[in-house]
Amino acid sequence: MGRPVKSPVESVGILGGGLAGLALACLLAGRGHAVTVYERDRAGGKLRRAEAGGLTFDTGPSLFTFPEVWRALLARLGEPDPLELRPLPGGLGVQHTPFGALPLPVPPEHPLAGEWQRYVAAVSPLRSHLLALLTTPPRLTSPDFLRASRALAGVLGPHLSAESWIAAHDFAPALAHALRTQALNAGLPPQDAPALYALLPGLIGAEVYRPARGMGAVLDALLDFARRRGVTVREGTEVTRLSGSQLTLSGGEVCRHDLLVSALDPARLARLRGQSDASPLARRTVSGLALYFALAGESGLPATSVLPPSDFGVFRRSLHAGTLPPDTLTLVHAEGRKLAVLLTVPALSRHLNSGHPWVQAQLRRVETVLHAPGLLQGAAVTALDPLHYAAGGHPGGAIYGAAAPLWRAGPFHPQPYRLAPGLWQVGTGVHPGGGLPAIFGGALIVDGLLALIRL
Ligand SMILES: Cc1cc2nc3c(=O)[nH]c(=O)nc-3n(C[C@H](O)[C@H](O)[C@H](O)COP(=O)(O)OP(=O)(O)OC[C@H]3O[C@@H](n4cnc5c(N)ncnc54)[C@H](O)[C@@H]3O)c2cc1C
């Protein structure tokens, strides 16, 4: 555990009990502060447990990447790793492009192995700087930050968007399509995604993991660390107003803390502070419809299959217009009888379920492309739709919040960490990328900055 420090800040209130809020709560409690986490629903945020057909599913994140960041968090907490991370067979999965199916990483015996090696060579100068990029405060006075930024600039060259970087490298069509698809990890089509996202498959390579007991183990670990550090986690407790150091809770209770940290989406926080935050559709990242199926038997499918949009121009126009694209980015995660199908949709807060004709068409596409006729027929299913993601997150249900301008990608973080004296922020909408490495890296950054100023 971190060493307690003498500080005028005794009590810290954290708004939001998602993984970002919980990670920061553990770090600050480890420094000796009395930490309370306020969570409107259940701890875990996007990572929660859902049930379908008698099976339990871990929702939200399914791929654990860049484990160095998790290990850096554990090192700062002084904890051994409870996750037993296991490599996920097939890495980033089979990408079913219109130019043929391509596994990422591309195996040595594949005809495109040479193209893949050319791609990996182009991104590899960044590999040794990744941990620094994800965990170092973006300060021009930090040598680590400057070194990492220089390496990034060297790899990106003049390209601002993922599309521009990929097009300039003239890769074989199947690899280019697969890279465009993976750039959607930014929550944006490749034309709008920062160029950094074109590099991710090469940086991740085969380093894709899952905890032995499933992704829910990440939540269990953080809750255990929090409990042992005396963190109070108040579930079912919504913050309805924030004014100075004062929080108003649902039910009217008022609480004060010496320091507040928001682990909410920035647009939600703005509303709590009485500010407006209009995020037009084109400036939002995508939302999703997550369908968790309990199959009658094991599917026999690879752990991860990816069905890209067949035309990224059409796909982008649909997202900007707020309409459902003819064929959308679809991720399929298979494990025994469990099958998760994640459909990408515009962030419109709309209700969608498995009976909707467009959803039915996307599910038939899954069965056709994966050569599994009737796979999903009659299977029990639980759905989380854009309305669900909007309820505790960004307007419209945008999974990674508002889209940052291209030039603010990577280390040039889109949001300030310190919003006002005594008010800081962490989480998906603050740290670029928004996935687990980004939010854990963001918690480490904020903890480090707070420790520097001795709170
Ligand atoms: C379908 C899907 C697939 C994903 N796949 C991956 C993946 O494979 N790998 C990966 O790394 N990442 C993935 N992600 C992203 C990852 O899940 C998120 O980045 C991460 O869980 C976000 O954590 P967070 O704490 O920042 O935000 P959240 O989990 O959104 O937490 C915010 C919390 O704040 C609470 N809250 C909101 N308003 C209030 C209020 N007024 N008062 C109190 N509490 C409030 C909410 O209820 C919520 O619990 C995926 C996400 C989704 C949705």
Side-chain angles (χ1 to χ4, degrees), residues 225-261:
F225 300 158
R227 184 184 50 75
R228 288 193 279 111
R229 285 163 178 76
V231 174
T232 304
V233 180
R234 293 184 60 176
E235 294 184 300
T237 307
E238 179 162 9
V239 177
T240 54
R241 190 157 179 269
L242 187 158
S243 170
S245 60
Q246 184 173 297
L247 296 178
T248 308
L249 308 180
S250 45
E253 186 185 344
V254 172
C255 300
R256 277 179 198 281
H257 292 278
D258 302 319
L259 178 86
L260 292 172
V261 183

PDB file of all heavy atoms in Angstrom, residues 225-261:
ATOM      1  N   PHE A 225      -9.438  -4.203  -2.992  1.00  0.00           N
ATOM      2  CA  PHE A 225      -8.404  -3.222  -2.602  1.00  0.00           C
ATOM      3  C   PHE A 225      -9.063  -2.059  -1.851  1.00  0.00           C
ATOM      4  O   PHE A 225      -8.535  -1.556  -0.865  1.00  0.00           O
ATOM      5  CB  PHE A 225      -7.675  -2.641  -3.818  1.00  0.00           C
ATOM      6  CG  PHE A 225      -6.946  -3.639  -4.689  1.00  0.00           C
ATOM      7  CD1 PHE A 225      -6.657  -3.333  -6.017  1.00  0.00           C
ATOM      8  CD2 PHE A 225      -6.532  -4.877  -4.196  1.00  0.00           C
ATOM      9  CE1 PHE A 225      -5.991  -4.225  -6.841  1.00  0.00           C
ATOM     10  CE2 PHE A 225      -5.860  -5.783  -5.020  1.00  0.00           C
ATOM     11  CZ  PHE A 225      -5.597  -5.462  -6.332  1.00  0.00           C
ATOM     12  N   ALA A 226     -10.214  -1.620  -2.371  1.00  0.00           N
ATOM     13  CA  ALA A 226     -10.895  -0.472  -1.769  1.00  0.00           C
ATOM     14  C   ALA A 226     -11.345  -0.805  -0.337  1.00  0.00           C
ATOM     15  O   ALA A 226     -11.123  -0.036   0.598  1.00  0.00           O
ATOM     16  CB  ALA A 226     -12.094  -0.075  -2.630  1.00  0.00           C
ATOM     17  N   ARG A 227     -11.950  -1.975  -0.180  1.00  0.00           N
ATOM     18  CA  ARG A 227     -12.444  -2.369   1.151  1.00  0.00           C
ATOM     19  C   ARG A 227     -11.291  -2.417   2.142  1.00  0.00           C
ATOM     20  O   ARG A 227     -11.391  -1.894   3.255  1.00  0.00           O
ATOM     21  CB  ARG A 227     -13.119  -3.746   1.028  1.00  0.00           C
ATOM     22  CG  ARG A 227     -13.773  -4.260   2.300  1.00  0.00           C
ATOM     23  CD  ARG A 227     -14.329  -5.664   2.112  1.00  0.00           C
ATOM     24  NE  ARG A 227     -13.383  -6.614   1.533  1.00  0.00           N
ATOM     25  CZ  ARG A 227     -12.372  -7.166   2.184  1.00  0.00           C
ATOM     26  NH1 ARG A 227     -12.165  -6.893   3.443  1.00  0.00           N
ATOM     27  NH2 ARG A 227     -11.546  -7.998   1.556  1.00  0.00           N
ATOM     28  N   ARG A 228     -10.156  -2.998   1.720  1.00  0.00           N
ATOM     29  CA  ARG A 228      -9.029  -3.138   2.649  1.00  0.00           C
ATOM     30  C   ARG A 228      -8.361  -1.802   2.961  1.00  0.00           C
ATOM     31  O   ARG A 228      -7.581  -1.700   3.891  1.00  0.00           O
ATOM     32  CB  ARG A 228      -8.025  -4.158   2.100  1.00  0.00           C
ATOM     33  CG  ARG A 228      -8.574  -5.592   2.205  1.00  0.00           C
ATOM     34  CD  ARG A 228      -7.521  -6.629   1.986  1.00  0.00           C
ATOM     35  NE  ARG A 228      -7.244  -6.852   0.581  1.00  0.00           N
ATOM     36  CZ  ARG A 228      -6.113  -6.522  -0.027  1.00  0.00           C
ATOM     37  NH1 ARG A 228      -5.141  -5.935   0.637  1.00  0.00           N
ATOM     38  NH2 ARG A 228      -5.931  -6.800  -1.297  1.00  0.00           N
ATOM     39  N   ARG A 229      -8.638  -0.789   2.179  1.00  0.00           N
ATOM     40  CA  ARG A 229      -8.094   0.544   2.460  1.00  0.00           C
ATOM     41  C   ARG A 229      -9.134   1.443   3.125  1.00  0.00           C
ATOM     42  O   ARG A 229      -8.936   2.649   3.250  1.00  0.00           O
ATOM     43  CB  ARG A 229      -7.582   1.182   1.167  1.00  0.00           C
ATOM     44  CG  ARG A 229      -6.275   0.568   0.725  1.00  0.00           C
ATOM     45  CD  ARG A 229      -5.948   0.865  -0.727  1.00  0.00           C
ATOM     46  NE  ARG A 229      -4.676   0.290  -1.090  1.00  0.00           N
ATOM     47  CZ  ARG A 229      -4.469  -1.009  -1.338  1.00  0.00           C
ATOM     48  NH1 ARG A 229      -5.484  -1.852  -1.261  1.00  0.00           N
ATOM     49  NH2 ARG A 229      -3.269  -1.462  -1.616  1.00  0.00           N
ATOM     50  N   GLY A 230     -10.260   0.876   3.466  1.00  0.00           N
ATOM     51  CA  GLY A 230     -11.280   1.624   4.206  1.00  0.00           C
ATOM     52  C   GLY A 230     -12.114   2.566   3.358  1.00  0.00           C
ATOM     53  O   GLY A 230     -12.759   3.483   3.885  1.00  0.00           O
ATOM     54  N   VAL A 231     -12.131   2.374   2.023  1.00  0.00           N
ATOM     55  CA  VAL A 231     -12.953   3.236   1.162  1.00  0.00           C
ATOM     56  C   VAL A 231     -14.430   2.924   1.413  1.00  0.00           C
ATOM     57  O   VAL A 231     -14.818   1.752   1.516  1.00  0.00           O
ATOM     58  CB  VAL A 231     -12.629   2.976  -0.333  1.00  0.00           C
ATOM     59  CG1 VAL A 231     -13.578   3.751  -1.249  1.00  0.00           C
ATOM     60  CG2 VAL A 231     -11.175   3.322  -0.637  1.00  0.00           C
ATOM     61  N   THR A 232     -15.243   3.968   1.535  1.00  0.00           N
ATOM     62  CA  THR A 232     -16.697   3.768   1.617  1.00  0.00           C
ATOM     63  C   THR A 232     -17.276   3.870   0.209  1.00  0.00           C
ATOM     64  O   THR A 232     -17.087   4.894  -0.454  1.00  0.00           O
ATOM     65  CB  THR A 232     -17.333   4.868   2.502  1.00  0.00           C
ATOM     66  OG1 THR A 232     -16.693   4.829   3.771  1.00  0.00           O
ATOM     67  CG2 THR A 232     -18.828   4.663   2.660  1.00  0.00           C
ATOM     68  N   VAL A 233     -17.936   2.809  -0.232  1.00  0.00           N
ATOM     69  CA  VAL A 233     -18.568   2.842  -1.561  1.00  0.00           C
ATOM     70  C   VAL A 233     -20.076   2.904  -1.347  1.00  0.00           C
ATOM     71  O   VAL A 233     -20.670   1.955  -0.837  1.00  0.00           O
ATOM     72  CB  VAL A 233     -18.184   1.595  -2.398  1.00  0.00           C
ATOM     73  CG1 VAL A 233     -18.859   1.648  -3.782  1.00  0.00           C
ATOM     74  CG2 VAL A 233     -16.667   1.491  -2.561  1.00  0.00           C
ATOM     75  N   ARG A 234     -20.672   4.046  -1.712  1.00  0.00           N
ATOM     76  CA  ARG A 234     -22.120   4.211  -1.518  1.00  0.00           C
ATOM     77  C   ARG A 234     -22.841   3.962  -2.836  1.00  0.00           C
ATOM     78  O   ARG A 234     -22.943   4.851  -3.684  1.00  0.00           O
ATOM     79  CB  ARG A 234     -22.421   5.612  -0.975  1.00  0.00           C
ATOM     80  CG  ARG A 234     -21.872   5.811   0.435  1.00  0.00           C
ATOM     81  CD  ARG A 234     -22.259   7.146   1.013  1.00  0.00           C
ATOM     82  NE  ARG A 234     -23.706   7.330   1.097  1.00  0.00           N
ATOM     83  CZ  ARG A 234     -24.281   8.399   1.643  1.00  0.00           C
ATOM     84  NH1 ARG A 234     -23.537   9.367   2.168  1.00  0.00           N
ATOM     85  NH2 ARG A 234     -25.593   8.510   1.667  1.00  0.00           N
ATOM     86  N   GLU A 235     -23.306   2.734  -3.011  1.00  0.00           N
ATOM     87  CA  GLU A 235     -24.034   2.396  -4.236  1.00  0.00           C
ATOM     88  C   GLU A 235     -25.460   2.935  -4.147  1.00  0.00           C
ATOM     89  O   GLU A 235     -25.964   3.193  -3.046  1.00  0.00           O
ATOM     90  CB  GLU A 235     -24.043   0.884  -4.434  1.00  0.00           C
ATOM     91  CG  GLU A 235     -22.657   0.329  -4.689  1.00  0.00           C
ATOM     92  CD  GLU A 235     -22.666  -1.165  -4.985  1.00  0.00           C
ATOM     93  OE1 GLU A 235     -23.123  -1.941  -4.132  1.00  0.00           O
ATOM     94  OE2 GLU A 235     -22.207  -1.548  -6.062  1.00  0.00           O
ATOM     95  N   GLY A 236     -26.110   3.094  -5.293  1.00  0.00           N
ATOM     96  CA  GLY A 236     -27.498   3.595  -5.304  1.00  0.00           C
ATOM     97  C   GLY A 236     -27.591   5.013  -4.778  1.00  0.00           C
ATOM     98  O   GLY A 236     -28.635   5.429  -4.277  1.00  0.00           O
ATOM     99  N   THR A 237     -26.504   5.773  -4.879  1.00  0.00           N
ATOM    100  CA  THR A 237     -26.473   7.137  -4.345  1.00  0.00           C
ATOM    101  C   THR A 237     -26.036   8.094  -5.443  1.00  0.00           C
ATOM    102  O   THR A 237     -24.846   8.211  -5.752  1.00  0.00           O
ATOM    103  CB  THR A 237     -25.471   7.220  -3.153  1.00  0.00           C
ATOM    104  OG1 THR A 237     -25.808   6.203  -2.220  1.00  0.00           O
ATOM    105  CG2 THR A 237     -25.513   8.573  -2.492  1.00  0.00           C
ATOM    106  N   GLU A 238     -27.000   8.769  -6.032  1.00  0.00           N
ATOM    107  CA  GLU A 238     -26.696   9.662  -7.155  1.00  0.00           C
ATOM    108  C   GLU A 238     -26.335  11.049  -6.636  1.00  0.00           C
ATOM    109  O   GLU A 238     -26.988  11.570  -5.721  1.00  0.00           O
ATOM    110  CB  GLU A 238     -27.926   9.754  -8.066  1.00  0.00           C
ATOM    111  CG  GLU A 238     -27.691  10.680  -9.241  1.00  0.00           C
ATOM    112  CD  GLU A 238     -28.688  10.468 -10.368  1.00  0.00           C
ATOM    113  OE1 GLU A 238     -29.662   9.711 -10.157  1.00  0.00           O
ATOM    114  OE2 GLU A 238     -28.489  11.075 -11.433  1.00  0.00           O
ATOM    115  N   VAL A 239     -25.305  11.627  -7.217  1.00  0.00           N
ATOM    116  CA  VAL A 239     -25.005  13.034  -6.946  1.00  0.00           C
ATOM    117  C   VAL A 239     -25.900  13.848  -7.872  1.00  0.00           C
ATOM    118  O   VAL A 239     -25.913  13.620  -9.087  1.00  0.00           O
ATOM    119  CB  VAL A 239     -23.513  13.347  -7.225  1.00  0.00           C
ATOM    120  CG1 VAL A 239     -23.237  14.829  -7.018  1.00  0.00           C
ATOM    121  CG2 VAL A 239     -22.618  12.481  -6.345  1.00  0.00           C
ATOM    122  N   THR A 240     -26.657  14.786  -7.310  1.00  0.00           N
ATOM    123  CA  THR A 240     -27.576  15.558  -8.155  1.00  0.00           C
ATOM    124  C   THR A 240     -27.103  16.993  -8.359  1.00  0.00           C
ATOM    125  O   THR A 240     -27.608  17.695  -9.226  1.00  0.00           O
ATOM    126  CB  THR A 240     -28.995  15.584  -7.544  1.00  0.00           C
ATOM    127  OG1 THR A 240     -28.893  16.067  -6.207  1.00  0.00           O
ATOM    128  CG2 THR A 240     -29.620  14.189  -7.532  1.00  0.00           C
ATOM    129  N   ARG A 241     -26.132  17.428  -7.540  1.00  0.00           N
ATOM    130  CA  ARG A 241     -25.646  18.806  -7.682  1.00  0.00           C
ATOM    131  C   ARG A 241     -24.253  18.901  -7.092  1.00  0.00           C
ATOM    132  O   ARG A 241     -23.953  18.226  -6.092  1.00  0.00           O
ATOM    133  CB  ARG A 241     -26.607  19.742  -6.932  1.00  0.00           C
ATOM    134  CG  ARG A 241     -26.371  21.181  -7.188  1.00  0.00           C
ATOM    135  CD  ARG A 241     -27.620  22.019  -6.911  1.00  0.00           C
ATOM    136  NE  ARG A 241     -27.295  23.403  -7.163  1.00  0.00           N
ATOM    137  CZ  ARG A 241     -26.835  24.234  -6.226  1.00  0.00           C
ATOM    138  NH1 ARG A 241     -26.707  23.838  -4.973  1.00  0.00           N
ATOM    139  NH2 ARG A 241     -26.524  25.483  -6.538  1.00  0.00           N
ATOM    140  N   LEU A 242     -23.427  19.715  -7.717  1.00  0.00           N
ATOM    141  CA  LEU A 242     -22.085  19.944  -7.173  1.00  0.00           C
ATOM    142  C   LEU A 242     -21.861  21.449  -7.138  1.00  0.00           C
ATOM    143  O   LEU A 242     -22.012  22.131  -8.154  1.00  0.00           O
ATOM    144  CB  LEU A 242     -21.052  19.271  -8.067  1.00  0.00           C
ATOM    145  CG  LEU A 242     -19.605  19.250  -7.587  1.00  0.00           C
ATOM    146  CD1 LEU A 242     -18.857  18.124  -8.266  1.00  0.00           C
ATOM    147  CD2 LEU A 242     -18.903  20.562  -7.863  1.00  0.00           C
ATOM    148  N   SER A 243     -21.546  21.951  -5.976  1.00  0.00           N
ATOM    149  CA  SER A 243     -21.317  23.384  -5.854  1.00  0.00           C
ATOM    150  C   SER A 243     -20.156  23.582  -4.881  1.00  0.00           C
ATOM    151  O   SER A 243     -20.257  23.241  -3.701  1.00  0.00           O
ATOM    152  CB  SER A 243     -22.601  24.031  -5.340  1.00  0.00           C
ATOM    153  OG  SER A 243     -22.361  25.355  -5.007  1.00  0.00           O
ATOM    154  N   GLY A 244     -19.045  24.095  -5.380  1.00  0.00           N
ATOM    155  CA  GLY A 244     -17.853  24.240  -4.534  1.00  0.00           C
ATOM    156  C   GLY A 244     -17.437  22.883  -4.000  1.00  0.00           C
ATOM    157  O   GLY A 244     -17.269  21.932  -4.762  1.00  0.00           O
ATOM    158  N   SER A 245     -17.308  22.772  -2.681  1.00  0.00           N
ATOM    159  CA  SER A 245     -16.880  21.489  -2.101  1.00  0.00           C
ATOM    160  C   SER A 245     -18.094  20.673  -1.650  1.00  0.00           C
ATOM    161  O   SER A 245     -17.963  19.697  -0.929  1.00  0.00           O
ATOM    162  CB  SER A 245     -15.968  21.751  -0.903  1.00  0.00           C
ATOM    163  OG  SER A 245     -16.690  22.494   0.067  1.00  0.00           O
ATOM    164  N   GLN A 246     -19.272  21.101  -2.076  1.00  0.00           N
ATOM    165  CA  GLN A 246     -20.507  20.501  -1.556  1.00  0.00           C
ATOM    166  C   GLN A 246     -21.235  19.662  -2.609  1.00  0.00           C
ATOM    167  O   GLN A 246     -21.451  20.100  -3.732  1.00  0.00           O
ATOM    168  CB  GLN A 246     -21.413  21.650  -1.113  1.00  0.00           C
ATOM    169  CG  GLN A 246     -22.687  21.222  -0.459  1.00  0.00           C
ATOM    170  CD  GLN A 246     -23.430  22.415   0.102  1.00  0.00           C
ATOM    171  OE1 GLN A 246     -22.948  23.102   0.996  1.00  0.00           O
ATOM    172  NE2 GLN A 246     -24.590  22.684  -0.464  1.00  0.00           N
ATOM    173  N   LEU A 247     -21.597  18.462  -2.184  1.00  0.00           N
ATOM    174  CA  LEU A 247     -22.356  17.563  -3.051  1.00  0.00           C
ATOM    175  C   LEU A 247     -23.770  17.436  -2.512  1.00  0.00           C
ATOM    176  O   LEU A 247     -23.955  17.261  -1.308  1.00  0.00           O
ATOM    177  CB  LEU A 247     -21.764  16.155  -3.030  1.00  0.00           C
ATOM    178  CG  LEU A 247     -20.355  15.941  -3.555  1.00  0.00           C
ATOM    179  CD1 LEU A 247     -19.958  14.476  -3.389  1.00  0.00           C
ATOM    180  CD2 LEU A 247     -20.293  16.354  -5.014  1.00  0.00           C
ATOM    181  N   THR A 248     -24.755  17.492  -3.398  1.00  0.00           N
ATOM    182  CA  THR A 248     -26.120  17.158  -2.990  1.00  0.00           C
ATOM    183  C   THR A 248     -26.427  15.784  -3.566  1.00  0.00           C
ATOM    184  O   THR A 248     -26.136  15.514  -4.739  1.00  0.00           O
ATOM    185  CB  THR A 248     -27.129  18.187  -3.530  1.00  0.00           C
ATOM    186  OG1 THR A 248     -26.678  19.482  -3.159  1.00  0.00           O
ATOM    187  CG2 THR A 248     -28.522  17.948  -2.972  1.00  0.00           C
ATOM    188  N   LEU A 249     -26.979  14.927  -2.729  1.00  0.00           N
ATOM    189  CA  LEU A 249     -27.263  13.559  -3.152  1.00  0.00           C
ATOM    190  C   LEU A 249     -28.749  13.368  -3.367  1.00  0.00           C
ATOM    191  O   LEU A 249     -29.568  14.123  -2.819  1.00  0.00           O
ATOM    192  CB  LEU A 249     -26.778  12.568  -2.092  1.00  0.00           C
ATOM    193  CG  LEU A 249     -25.320  12.725  -1.643  1.00  0.00           C
ATOM    194  CD1 LEU A 249     -24.975  11.669  -0.595  1.00  0.00           C
ATOM    195  CD2 LEU A 249     -24.373  12.610  -2.831  1.00  0.00           C
ATOM    196  N   SER A 250     -29.094  12.323  -4.137  1.00  0.00           N
ATOM    197  CA  SER A 250     -30.507  11.998  -4.317  1.00  0.00           C
ATOM    198  C   SER A 250     -31.088  11.778  -2.920  1.00  0.00           C
ATOM    199  O   SER A 250     -30.464  11.137  -2.091  1.00  0.00           O
ATOM    200  CB  SER A 250     -30.658  10.727  -5.159  1.00  0.00           C
ATOM    201  OG  SER A 250     -29.740   9.734  -4.716  1.00  0.00           O
ATOM    202  N   GLY A 251     -32.244  12.330  -2.666  1.00  0.00           N
ATOM    203  CA  GLY A 251     -32.822  12.239  -1.318  1.00  0.00           C
ATOM    204  C   GLY A 251     -32.537  13.491  -0.514  1.00  0.00           C
ATOM    205  O   GLY A 251     -33.062  13.663   0.584  1.00  0.00           O
ATOM    206  N   GLY A 252     -31.670  14.374  -1.058  1.00  0.00           N
ATOM    207  CA  GLY A 252     -31.479  15.678  -0.432  1.00  0.00           C
ATOM    208  C   GLY A 252     -30.294  15.784   0.521  1.00  0.00           C
ATOM    209  O   GLY A 252     -29.949  16.889   0.947  1.00  0.00           O
ATOM    210  N   GLU A 253     -29.667  14.674   0.860  1.00  0.00           N
ATOM    211  CA  GLU A 253     -28.510  14.735   1.773  1.00  0.00           C
ATOM    212  C   GLU A 253     -27.408  15.607   1.158  1.00  0.00           C
ATOM    213  O   GLU A 253     -27.179  15.571  -0.052  1.00  0.00           O
ATOM    214  CB  GLU A 253     -27.974  13.313   1.985  1.00  0.00           C
ATOM    215  CG  GLU A 253     -26.878  13.217   3.008  1.00  0.00           C
ATOM    216  CD  GLU A 253     -26.295  11.789   3.072  1.00  0.00           C
ATOM    217  OE1 GLU A 253     -26.946  10.846   2.548  1.00  0.00           O
ATOM    218  OE2 GLU A 253     -25.213  11.625   3.612  1.00  0.00           O
ATOM    219  N   VAL A 254     -26.730  16.379   2.001  1.00  0.00           N
ATOM    220  CA  VAL A 254     -25.632  17.227   1.523  1.00  0.00           C
ATOM    221  C   VAL A 254     -24.337  16.765   2.178  1.00  0.00           C
ATOM    222  O   VAL A 254     -24.300  16.521   3.382  1.00  0.00           O
ATOM    223  CB  VAL A 254     -25.919  18.711   1.864  1.00  0.00           C
ATOM    224  CG1 VAL A 254     -24.709  19.584   1.558  1.00  0.00           C
ATOM    225  CG2 VAL A 254     -27.139  19.198   1.078  1.00  0.00           C
ATOM    226  N   CYS A 255     -23.284  16.608   1.385  1.00  0.00           N
ATOM    227  CA  CYS A 255     -21.985  16.162   1.925  1.00  0.00           C
ATOM    228  C   CYS A 255     -20.908  17.145   1.491  1.00  0.00           C
ATOM    229  O   CYS A 255     -20.977  17.699   0.391  1.00  0.00           O
ATOM    230  CB  CYS A 255     -21.604  14.788   1.366  1.00  0.00           C
ATOM    231  SG  CYS A 255     -22.774  13.511   1.740  1.00  0.00           S
ATOM    232  N   ARG A 256     -19.901  17.308   2.337  1.00  0.00           N
ATOM    233  CA  ARG A 256     -18.752  18.145   1.985  1.00  0.00           C
ATOM    234  C   ARG A 256     -17.487  17.317   2.065  1.00  0.00           C
ATOM    235  O   ARG A 256     -17.374  16.448   2.939  1.00  0.00           O
ATOM    236  CB  ARG A 256     -18.605  19.282   3.010  1.00  0.00           C
ATOM    237  CG  ARG A 256     -19.474  20.436   2.746  1.00  0.00           C
ATOM    238  CD  ARG A 256     -19.271  21.500   3.836  1.00  0.00           C
ATOM    239  NE  ARG A 256     -20.383  22.416   3.822  1.00  0.00           N
ATOM    240  CZ  ARG A 256     -20.505  23.401   2.949  1.00  0.00           C
ATOM    241  NH1 ARG A 256     -19.582  23.600   2.035  1.00  0.00           N
ATOM    242  NH2 ARG A 256     -21.556  24.187   2.973  1.00  0.00           N
ATOM    243  N   HIS A 257     -16.556  17.605   1.174  1.00  0.00           N
ATOM    244  CA  HIS A 257     -15.249  16.942   1.222  1.00  0.00           C
ATOM    245  C   HIS A 257     -14.174  17.996   0.987  1.00  0.00           C
ATOM    246  O   HIS A 257     -14.422  19.028   0.362  1.00  0.00           O
ATOM    247  CB  HIS A 257     -15.153  15.854   0.155  1.00  0.00           C
ATOM    248  CG  HIS A 257     -16.056  14.689   0.409  1.00  0.00           C
ATOM    249  ND1 HIS A 257     -15.729  13.667   1.259  1.00  0.00           N
ATOM    250  CD2 HIS A 257     -17.300  14.404  -0.064  1.00  0.00           C
ATOM    251  CE1 HIS A 257     -16.728  12.785   1.292  1.00  0.00           C
ATOM    252  NE2 HIS A 257     -17.694  13.214   0.504  1.00  0.00           N
ATOM    253  N   ASP A 258     -12.950  17.669   1.451  1.00  0.00           N
ATOM    254  CA  ASP A 258     -11.833  18.607   1.221  1.00  0.00           C
ATOM    255  C   ASP A 258     -11.442  18.616  -0.251  1.00  0.00           C
ATOM    256  O   ASP A 258     -10.948  19.615  -0.764  1.00  0.00           O
ATOM    257  CB  ASP A 258     -10.623  18.185   2.067  1.00  0.00           C
ATOM    258  CG  ASP A 258     -10.978  18.148   3.552  1.00  0.00           C
ATOM    259  OD1 ASP A 258     -11.688  19.059   4.000  1.00  0.00           O
ATOM    260  OD2 ASP A 258     -10.568  17.194   4.239  1.00  0.00           O
ATOM    261  N   LEU A 259     -11.616  17.467  -0.898  1.00  0.00           N
ATOM    262  CA  LEU A 259     -11.267  17.360  -2.324  1.00  0.00           C
ATOM    263  C   LEU A 259     -12.333  16.514  -3.011  1.00  0.00           C
ATOM    264  O   LEU A 259     -12.772  15.506  -2.452  1.00  0.00           O
ATOM    265  CB  LEU A 259      -9.907  16.664  -2.464  1.00  0.00           C
ATOM    266  CG  LEU A 259      -9.435  16.452  -3.897  1.00  0.00           C
ATOM    267  CD1 LEU A 259      -8.698  17.697  -4.398  1.00  0.00           C
ATOM    268  CD2 LEU A 259      -8.502  15.257  -4.002  1.00  0.00           C
ATOM    269  N   LEU A 260     -12.714  16.939  -4.224  1.00  0.00           N
ATOM    270  CA  LEU A 260     -13.673  16.144  -5.010  1.00  0.00           C
ATOM    271  C   LEU A 260     -13.010  15.705  -6.311  1.00  0.00           C
ATOM    272  O   LEU A 260     -12.265  16.478  -6.926  1.00  0.00           O
ATOM    273  CB  LEU A 260     -14.916  16.965  -5.337  1.00  0.00           C
ATOM    274  CG  LEU A 260     -15.802  17.331  -4.145  1.00  0.00           C
ATOM    275  CD1 LEU A 260     -16.903  18.305  -4.576  1.00  0.00           C
ATOM    276  CD2 LEU A 260     -16.420  16.079  -3.519  1.00  0.00           C
ATOM    277  N   VAL A 261     -13.284  14.463  -6.699  1.00  0.00           N
ATOM    278  CA  VAL A 261     -12.806  13.992  -8.000  1.00  0.00           C
ATOM    279  C   VAL A 261     -14.009  13.424  -8.739  1.00  0.00           C
ATOM    280  O   VAL A 261     -14.703  12.544  -8.225  1.00  0.00           O
ATOM    281  CB  VAL A 261     -11.726  12.896  -7.876  1.00  0.00           C
ATOM    282  CG1 VAL A 261     -11.212  12.516  -9.270  1.00  0.00           C
ATOM    283  CG2 VAL A 261     -10.573  13.358  -6.992  1.00  0.00           C
TER     284      VAL A 261
END
